[in-house]
Amino acid sequence: MQRLVQYEAEYPEWGNPEYRRRACALLTLWYGDAGDVDRVLTYCRKMEELACEARPSLPFWS
């Protein structure tokens, strides 16, 4: 789990956000199983931020 935490924290800004979202999703599941609510919320917020960045500002057909 520590390797994934490090991977997520050091992931470059220019990298594919899908890989970082997947890392956050796995960490959310693992910390959820461990009962660490604070970390679950932290990674849920990160996933939400990454999802907002991934959305295009204009429809594809414009």
Side-chain angles (χ1 to χ4, degrees):
M1 188 166 20
Q2 283 302 94
R3 289 182 73 190
L4 189 58
V5 169
Q6 183 179 0
Y7 172 83
E8 190 281 322
E10 295 175 357
Y11 197 78
E13 292 296 320
W14 49 264
N16 185 342
E18 180 60 28
Y19 299 135
R20 192 169 183 190
R21 276 195 302 272
R22 289 180 186 184
C24 289
L26 280 174
L27 289 167
T28 298
L29 291 172
W30 289 343
Y31 282 123
D33 287 344
D36 191 338
V37 176
D38 291 332
R39 287 193 175 152
V40 168
L41 292 174
T42 297
Y43 287 108
C44 284
R45 287 184 191 115
K46 285 185 180 188
M47 283 189 303
E48 187 175 88
E49 290 170 7
L50 291 167
C52 290
E53 291 174 6
R55 294 183 185 139
S57 58
L58 297 172
F60 292 112
W61 60 87
S62 355

